Amino acid sequence: MKALLLENIHSDAVDALRSRGFEVETRKGALDPQELLTALDGVDLLGIRSKTQVTREVLEAHPQLQAVGAFCIGTNQIDLTAATDTATAVFNAPFSNTRSVVELALGEIIALARHLTDKNAAMHQGVWDKSAKGSHEVRGRTLGIVGYGNIGKQLSVVAEAFGMDVYYYDVVDRLAMGNATKCDSLEQLLGTVETVTLHVDGRESNTNMFGREQFRQMRPRSIFLNLSRGHVVDIAALHEALVSGHLAGAGLDVYPSEPKAAGEPFESPLQGLPNVILTPHVGGSTAEAQENIGEFVSGKLIDYCRYGTTSLSVNFPEVQLDPFIHGTRLLHIHSNVPGVLARVNSTLGEHGINVDRQQLVTKGQMGYMVTDCANGATDEVVAAIKALPETIRVATVS
């Protein structure tokens, strides 16, 4: 089997896949959909980070593609509906780089509260500005977290350990960590806190969720951070709030438009503002996080191809499977309609195949059936199951 890994995925992922017998091709930058159409010829596994867009056209053009690994948290760069329709399993790393993002957020909050960006720039110009004017401790200050998922929750705990009073808002009802206070609306949070940090997902409905109205609702001289997705913030509105002095500072790690590869030019209206920290989408880019992500996602891809395990898949029904030593394991991905189990077992019985163990799990419109056949399964049997009208994909593990 062949794997294609894009966007500088950690070498641990390459080593893990090669040690399991995969042929691995790596590329440093992202590919656009048209480039992917060619690059995926003969590829069974695709590994990407946040910039490569995996569209329906790409997935439908490559029915041999078994799985896509997103070596990051988000999966909005993948058409998940199309992946499900084409029986392409998708895996991501929902936990592996949360600590790295949390530490960057806290570091930027401290830097902006202490005006370290201004002090650093002045020192490099030979100006000794030893003054406490405008500098504050973060202890006792209020932090508002928009999006209380894995990153938001961990940031909540660590910020509280720094002595901050934490408030949060999420469209999903989430349990507070520690002494954090839940807000019933975004407006309530914005009018309460002195620092706002975004940790929302990349769904299309979040586009420009922060614009002029939201910045207007924030308290004067607040700090604003976005380490989530670039398209959730109206950059022109943020620029206006900063230049007017309504916001005291901002830190951004993501942008509506980002270069595809390192070294390419970057432009933003926020460049040159002394109270803004700009970083090149490196929230999860620490050695520890990238190593953890490389190990985690490659492990999920390997387990799916070797055993059929779909644990923590983004779009497949989840099944945790042990290795199957003798015979054949049939993986049947099908439309979730009544009678499929009976038809598969009838087909197996007609060909004299004895079922040793079987699991069927459904999720939405998809059914995932795993059948262990101790006496093996012939190509004729596999072809007969493929021919069932409900079948989307059949794979075997021996």
Side-chain angles (χ1 to χ4, degrees), residues 139-186:
R139 179 181 57 174
R141 293 174 70 83
T142 51
L143 172 65
I145 301 173
V146 181
Y148 207 59
N150 296 324
I151 293 174
K153 287 179 180 178
Q154 188 170 159
L155 176 59
S156 176
V157 172
V158 179
E160 188 174 316
F162 270 72
M164 301 188 80
D165 295 324
V166 178
Y167 295 78
Y168 71 93
Y169 170 73
D170 200 304
V171 294
V172 177
D173 189 18
R174 299 189 187 274
L175 181 68
M177 304 296 289
N179 295 314
T181 300
K182 177 185 175 184
C183 292
D184 295 326
S185 67
L186 181 59

Short mmCIF file of all heavy atoms in Angstrom, two decimals, residues 139-186:
data_model
loop_
_atom_site.label_atom_id
_atom_site.label_comp_id
_atom_site.label_asym_id
_atom_site.label_seq_id
_atom_site.Cartn_x
_atom_site.Cartn_y
_atom_site.Cartn_z
N ARG A 139 -2.81 38.02 36.75
CA ARG A 139 -3.51 37.57 37.96
C ARG A 139 -4.63 38.54 38.31
O ARG A 139 -4.44 39.75 38.35
CB ARG A 139 -2.52 37.48 39.13
CG ARG A 139 -3.15 37.04 40.44
CD ARG A 139 -2.13 36.99 41.55
NE ARG A 139 -1.47 38.30 41.74
CZ ARG A 139 -0.61 38.55 42.72
NH1 ARG A 139 -0.30 37.58 43.59
NH2 ARG A 139 -0.05 39.73 42.83
N GLY A 140 -5.81 38.00 38.52
CA GLY A 140 -6.95 38.82 38.89
C GLY A 140 -7.70 39.41 37.72
O GLY A 140 -8.77 40.00 37.90
N ARG A 141 -7.17 39.25 36.50
CA ARG A 141 -7.86 39.78 35.33
C ARG A 141 -8.83 38.74 34.77
O ARG A 141 -8.72 37.55 35.08
CB ARG A 141 -6.84 40.23 34.26
CG ARG A 141 -6.01 41.43 34.73
CD ARG A 141 -4.91 41.77 33.74
NE ARG A 141 -5.41 42.33 32.50
CZ ARG A 141 -5.74 43.61 32.32
NH1 ARG A 141 -5.64 44.46 33.32
NH2 ARG A 141 -6.15 44.04 31.15
N THR A 142 -9.76 39.19 33.95
CA THR A 142 -10.82 38.31 33.46
C THR A 142 -10.51 37.84 32.04
O THR A 142 -10.15 38.63 31.17
CB THR A 142 -12.18 39.03 33.46
OG1 THR A 142 -12.04 40.30 32.80
CG2 THR A 142 -12.66 39.26 34.88
N LEU A 143 -10.66 36.54 31.81
CA LEU A 143 -10.42 35.91 30.51
C LEU A 143 -11.72 35.31 30.00
O LEU A 143 -12.38 34.54 30.70
CB LEU A 143 -9.36 34.82 30.63
CG LEU A 143 -9.14 33.94 29.39
CD1 LEU A 143 -8.57 34.78 28.25
CD2 LEU A 143 -8.21 32.78 29.72
N GLY A 144 -12.06 35.64 28.76
CA GLY A 144 -13.25 35.07 28.13
C GLY A 144 -12.85 34.11 27.02
O GLY A 144 -12.14 34.49 26.09
N ILE A 145 -13.29 32.88 27.11
CA ILE A 145 -12.95 31.84 26.14
C ILE A 145 -14.19 31.56 25.29
O ILE A 145 -15.23 31.14 25.80
CB ILE A 145 -12.49 30.55 26.83
CG1 ILE A 145 -11.25 30.82 27.70
CG2 ILE A 145 -12.18 29.46 25.81
CD1 ILE A 145 -10.82 29.63 28.56
N VAL A 146 -14.07 31.79 23.99
CA VAL A 146 -15.17 31.51 23.06
C VAL A 146 -14.85 30.19 22.37
O VAL A 146 -13.92 30.10 21.57
CB VAL A 146 -15.32 32.64 22.02
CG1 VAL A 146 -16.49 32.34 21.09
CG2 VAL A 146 -15.51 33.98 22.71
N GLY A 147 -15.62 29.16 22.69
CA GLY A 147 -15.34 27.81 22.22
C GLY A 147 -14.68 27.01 23.33
O GLY A 147 -13.48 27.16 23.57
N TYR A 148 -15.47 26.16 24.00
CA TYR A 148 -14.99 25.48 25.21
C TYR A 148 -14.80 23.99 24.94
O TYR A 148 -15.29 23.13 25.65
CB TYR A 148 -16.00 25.70 26.34
CG TYR A 148 -15.41 25.65 27.74
CD1 TYR A 148 -14.41 26.53 28.13
CD2 TYR A 148 -15.90 24.75 28.68
CE1 TYR A 148 -13.90 26.50 29.41
CE2 TYR A 148 -15.40 24.71 29.97
CZ TYR A 148 -14.40 25.59 30.33
OH TYR A 148 -13.89 25.56 31.62
N GLY A 149 -14.06 23.71 23.85
CA GLY A 149 -13.74 22.32 23.53
C GLY A 149 -12.46 21.89 24.21
O GLY A 149 -12.13 22.35 25.31
N ASN A 150 -11.70 21.02 23.56
CA ASN A 150 -10.50 20.46 24.18
C ASN A 150 -9.47 21.54 24.53
O ASN A 150 -8.88 21.52 25.62
CB ASN A 150 -9.86 19.43 23.25
CG ASN A 150 -10.75 18.23 23.02
OD1 ASN A 150 -11.46 17.79 23.92
ND2 ASN A 150 -10.75 17.69 21.81
N ILE A 151 -9.25 22.48 23.61
CA ILE A 151 -8.30 23.55 23.88
C ILE A 151 -8.87 24.54 24.89
O ILE A 151 -8.20 24.93 25.85
CB ILE A 151 -7.92 24.28 22.58
CG1 ILE A 151 -7.14 23.34 21.67
CG2 ILE A 151 -7.09 25.53 22.87
CD1 ILE A 151 -6.83 23.91 20.29
N GLY A 152 -10.11 24.96 24.69
CA GLY A 152 -10.72 25.92 25.59
C GLY A 152 -10.75 25.44 27.02
O GLY A 152 -10.46 26.22 27.96
N LYS A 153 -11.06 24.19 27.23
CA LYS A 153 -11.12 23.65 28.59
C LYS A 153 -9.74 23.64 29.25
O LYS A 153 -9.58 23.99 30.42
CB LYS A 153 -11.70 22.24 28.57
CG LYS A 153 -13.19 22.19 28.30
CD LYS A 153 -13.69 20.75 28.27
CE LYS A 153 -15.17 20.68 28.00
NZ LYS A 153 -15.66 19.29 27.93
N GLN A 154 -8.72 23.19 28.49
CA GLN A 154 -7.39 23.15 29.07
C GLN A 154 -6.87 24.56 29.35
O GLN A 154 -6.24 24.80 30.39
CB GLN A 154 -6.42 22.39 28.16
CG GLN A 154 -5.08 22.15 28.82
CD GLN A 154 -4.18 21.20 28.06
OE1 GLN A 154 -2.97 21.23 28.25
NE2 GLN A 154 -4.72 20.36 27.22
N LEU A 155 -7.14 25.49 28.45
CA LEU A 155 -6.76 26.88 28.70
C LEU A 155 -7.45 27.41 29.94
O LEU A 155 -6.85 28.16 30.74
CB LEU A 155 -7.12 27.73 27.48
CG LEU A 155 -6.87 29.23 27.61
CD1 LEU A 155 -5.41 29.53 27.90
CD2 LEU A 155 -7.33 29.97 26.35
N SER A 156 -8.69 27.03 30.14
CA SER A 156 -9.45 27.46 31.31
C SER A 156 -8.74 27.04 32.59
O SER A 156 -8.57 27.85 33.52
CB SER A 156 -10.85 26.85 31.25
OG SER A 156 -11.59 27.14 32.42
N VAL A 157 -8.28 25.81 32.65
CA VAL A 157 -7.63 25.28 33.85
C VAL A 157 -6.29 25.98 34.09
O VAL A 157 -5.98 26.41 35.21
CB VAL A 157 -7.43 23.76 33.73
CG1 VAL A 157 -6.58 23.23 34.87
CG2 VAL A 157 -8.78 23.05 33.69
N VAL A 158 -5.48 26.11 33.04
CA VAL A 158 -4.16 26.70 33.19
C VAL A 158 -4.26 28.19 33.51
O VAL A 158 -3.51 28.71 34.35
CB VAL A 158 -3.31 26.46 31.92
CG1 VAL A 158 -1.93 27.09 32.07
CG2 VAL A 158 -3.17 24.97 31.66
N ALA A 159 -5.19 28.90 32.86
CA ALA A 159 -5.36 30.33 33.14
C ALA A 159 -5.80 30.55 34.58
O ALA A 159 -5.37 31.51 35.24
CB ALA A 159 -6.38 30.93 32.16
N GLU A 160 -6.66 29.68 35.07
CA GLU A 160 -7.09 29.80 36.45
C GLU A 160 -5.92 29.59 37.41
O GLU A 160 -5.81 30.26 38.45
CB GLU A 160 -8.20 28.80 36.75
CG GLU A 160 -8.85 28.98 38.11
CD GLU A 160 -10.04 28.06 38.32
OE1 GLU A 160 -10.85 27.94 37.39
OE2 GLU A 160 -10.12 27.46 39.40
N ALA A 161 -5.00 28.68 37.05
CA ALA A 161 -3.81 28.47 37.87
C ALA A 161 -2.93 29.73 37.90
O ALA A 161 -2.19 29.95 38.86
CB ALA A 161 -3.02 27.28 37.35
N PHE A 162 -3.01 30.55 36.85
CA PHE A 162 -2.29 31.83 36.81
C PHE A 162 -3.01 32.91 37.62
O PHE A 162 -2.50 34.02 37.74
CB PHE A 162 -2.15 32.30 35.36
CG PHE A 162 -0.90 31.83 34.68
CD1 PHE A 162 -0.75 30.51 34.32
CD2 PHE A 162 0.14 32.70 34.41
CE1 PHE A 162 0.39 30.05 33.69
CE2 PHE A 162 1.29 32.26 33.79
CZ PHE A 162 1.44 30.94 33.43
N GLY A 163 -4.18 32.59 38.14
CA GLY A 163 -4.93 33.55 38.94
C GLY A 163 -5.96 34.34 38.17
O GLY A 163 -6.51 35.32 38.68
N MET A 164 -6.25 33.95 36.92
CA MET A 164 -7.25 34.66 36.13
C MET A 164 -8.66 34.18 36.47
O MET A 164 -8.86 33.02 36.85
CB MET A 164 -6.98 34.47 34.64
CG MET A 164 -5.62 34.94 34.18
SD MET A 164 -5.41 34.93 32.37
CE MET A 164 -6.26 36.46 31.94
N ASP A 165 -9.62 35.08 36.34
CA ASP A 165 -11.03 34.71 36.47
C ASP A 165 -11.54 34.36 35.08
O ASP A 165 -11.52 35.20 34.18
CB ASP A 165 -11.84 35.87 37.06
CG ASP A 165 -11.42 36.21 38.48
OD1 ASP A 165 -11.09 35.28 39.24
OD2 ASP A 165 -11.40 37.41 38.82
N VAL A 166 -12.01 33.13 34.91
CA VAL A 166 -12.32 32.61 33.58
C VAL A 166 -13.83 32.56 33.34
O VAL A 166 -14.59 32.07 34.18
CB VAL A 166 -11.72 31.20 33.39
CG1 VAL A 166 -12.08 30.64 32.02
CG2 VAL A 166 -10.20 31.24 33.57
N TYR A 167 -14.23 33.06 32.18
CA TYR A 167 -15.61 32.97 31.70
C TYR A 167 -15.56 32.28 30.33
O TYR A 167 -14.57 32.38 29.61
CB TYR A 167 -16.24 34.35 31.56
CG TYR A 167 -16.42 35.08 32.87
CD1 TYR A 167 -15.33 35.71 33.47
CD2 TYR A 167 -17.65 35.14 33.50
CE1 TYR A 167 -15.47 36.38 34.68
CE2 TYR A 167 -17.81 35.81 34.71
CZ TYR A 167 -16.71 36.42 35.30
OH TYR A 167 -16.86 37.07 36.49
N TYR A 168 -16.63 31.59 29.97
CA TYR A 168 -16.63 30.93 28.67
C TYR A 168 -18.02 30.93 28.06
O TYR A 168 -19.04 31.04 28.76
CB TYR A 168 -16.11 29.49 28.77
CG TYR A 168 -17.04 28.51 29.46
CD1 TYR A 168 -17.94 27.73 28.74
CD2 TYR A 168 -17.00 28.34 30.86
CE1 TYR A 168 -18.78 26.83 29.37
CE2 TYR A 168 -17.84 27.44 31.49
CZ TYR A 168 -18.72 26.68 30.75
OH TYR A 168 -19.56 25.79 31.38
N TYR A 169 -18.02 30.82 26.73
CA TYR A 169 -19.27 30.68 25.99
C TYR A 169 -19.09 29.66 24.88
O TYR A 169 -18.06 29.64 24.20
CB TYR A 169 -19.70 32.02 25.36
CG TYR A 169 -20.86 31.87 24.41
CD1 TYR A 169 -22.15 31.62 24.88
CD2 TYR A 169 -20.65 31.92 23.03
CE1 TYR A 169 -23.21 31.44 24.00
CE2 TYR A 169 -21.71 31.76 22.14
CZ TYR A 169 -22.98 31.51 22.64
OH TYR A 169 -24.01 31.33 21.77
N ASP A 170 -20.07 28.79 24.71
CA ASP A 170 -20.07 27.79 23.65
C ASP A 170 -21.50 27.54 23.23
O ASP A 170 -22.42 27.60 24.07
CB ASP A 170 -19.41 26.49 24.15
CG ASP A 170 -18.93 25.60 23.00
OD1 ASP A 170 -19.76 25.25 22.13
OD2 ASP A 170 -17.76 25.25 22.98
N VAL A 171 -21.70 27.27 21.95
CA VAL A 171 -23.04 26.97 21.47
C VAL A 171 -23.51 25.61 21.96
O VAL A 171 -24.71 25.31 21.96
CB VAL A 171 -23.11 27.02 19.93
CG1 VAL A 171 -22.87 28.44 19.44
CG2 VAL A 171 -22.10 26.06 19.30
N VAL A 172 -22.55 24.76 22.37
CA VAL A 172 -22.87 23.46 22.96
C VAL A 172 -22.82 23.58 24.47
O VAL A 172 -21.95 24.27 25.02
CB VAL A 172 -21.87 22.38 22.48
CG1 VAL A 172 -22.16 21.04 23.15
CG2 VAL A 172 -21.92 22.26 20.97
N ASP A 173 -23.74 22.94 25.16
CA ASP A 173 -23.77 22.99 26.62
C ASP A 173 -22.60 22.17 27.18
O ASP A 173 -22.57 20.95 27.04
CB ASP A 173 -25.10 22.42 27.13
CG ASP A 173 -25.29 22.66 28.63
OD1 ASP A 173 -24.59 23.53 29.18
OD2 ASP A 173 -26.12 21.96 29.24
N ARG A 174 -21.62 22.85 27.77
CA ARG A 174 -20.41 22.19 28.26
C ARG A 174 -20.22 22.47 29.75
O ARG A 174 -20.45 23.59 30.22
CB ARG A 174 -19.19 22.62 27.47
CG ARG A 174 -19.27 22.30 25.98
CD ARG A 174 -17.95 22.56 25.29
NE ARG A 174 -18.02 22.40 23.85
CZ ARG A 174 -17.87 21.26 23.20
NH1 ARG A 174 -17.66 20.14 23.89
NH2 ARG A 174 -17.93 21.21 21.87
N LEU A 175 -19.75 21.44 30.46
CA LEU A 175 -19.52 21.54 31.90
C LEU A 175 -18.31 22.42 32.18
O LEU A 175 -17.27 22.30 31.52
CB LEU A 175 -19.29 20.14 32.48
CG LEU A 175 -19.06 20.04 33.99
CD1 LEU A 175 -20.34 20.41 34.73
CD2 LEU A 175 -18.64 18.62 34.37
N ALA A 176 -18.43 23.30 33.16
CA ALA A 176 -17.33 24.19 33.53
C ALA A 176 -16.20 23.41 34.19
O ALA A 176 -16.43 22.47 34.95
CB ALA A 176 -17.83 25.28 34.48
N MET A 177 -14.98 23.82 33.88
CA MET A 177 -13.80 23.26 34.53
C MET A 177 -13.40 24.20 35.66
O MET A 177 -13.37 25.42 35.50
CB MET A 177 -12.65 23.12 33.53
CG MET A 177 -12.99 22.29 32.30
SD MET A 177 -13.34 20.56 32.67
CE MET A 177 -11.69 19.99 33.10
N GLY A 178 -13.06 23.62 36.82
CA GLY A 178 -12.64 24.44 37.96
C GLY A 178 -13.69 25.45 38.35
O GLY A 178 -14.87 25.12 38.50
N ASN A 179 -13.28 26.71 38.46
CA ASN A 179 -14.18 27.77 38.88
C ASN A 179 -14.65 28.64 37.71
O ASN A 179 -15.13 29.75 37.92
CB ASN A 179 -13.49 28.67 39.91
CG ASN A 179 -13.19 27.93 41.20
OD1 ASN A 179 -14.04 27.22 41.73
ND2 ASN A 179 -11.96 28.07 41.69
N ALA A 180 -14.50 28.15 36.50
CA ALA A 180 -14.93 28.92 35.33
C ALA A 180 -16.43 29.18 35.37
O ALA A 180 -17.21 28.37 35.88
CB ALA A 180 -14.55 28.19 34.05
N THR A 181 -16.82 30.33 34.83
CA THR A 181 -18.23 30.73 34.81
C THR A 181 -18.77 30.66 33.39
O THR A 181 -18.18 31.23 32.46
CB THR A 181 -18.38 32.17 35.33
OG1 THR A 181 -17.88 32.25 36.67
CG2 THR A 181 -19.84 32.60 35.31
N LYS A 182 -19.88 29.98 33.22
CA LYS A 182 -20.51 29.86 31.91
C LYS A 182 -21.33 31.10 31.61
O LYS A 182 -22.09 31.58 32.46
CB LYS A 182 -21.40 28.61 31.87
CG LYS A 182 -22.17 28.44 30.58
CD LYS A 182 -23.12 27.26 30.68
CE LYS A 182 -23.98 27.13 29.43
NZ LYS A 182 -24.96 26.03 29.55
N CYS A 183 -21.20 31.63 30.40
CA CYS A 183 -22.02 32.74 29.95
C CYS A 183 -23.13 32.22 29.05
O CYS A 183 -22.92 31.30 28.25
CB CYS A 183 -21.17 33.76 29.19
SG CYS A 183 -19.97 34.63 30.24
N ASP A 184 -24.30 32.82 29.15
CA ASP A 184 -25.44 32.36 28.38
C ASP A 184 -25.44 32.89 26.95
O ASP A 184 -26.19 32.40 26.10
CB ASP A 184 -26.74 32.78 29.08
CG ASP A 184 -26.90 32.09 30.42
OD1 ASP A 184 -26.48 30.92 30.55
OD2 ASP A 184 -27.44 32.74 31.35
N SER A 185 -24.62 33.90 26.68
CA SER A 185 -24.57 34.46 25.34
C SER A 185 -23.18 35.03 25.10
O SER A 185 -22.44 35.34 26.04
CB SER A 185 -25.61 35.56 25.16
OG SER A 185 -25.30 36.68 25.97
N LEU A 186 -22.85 35.20 23.82
CA LEU A 186 -21.58 35.82 23.47
C LEU A 186 -21.56 37.27 23.94
O LEU A 186 -20.53 37.77 24.41
CB LEU A 186 -21.37 35.74 21.95
CG LEU A 186 -20.08 36.34 21.40
CD1 LEU A 186 -18.86 35.67 22.00
CD2 LEU A 186 -20.05 36.24 19.87
#
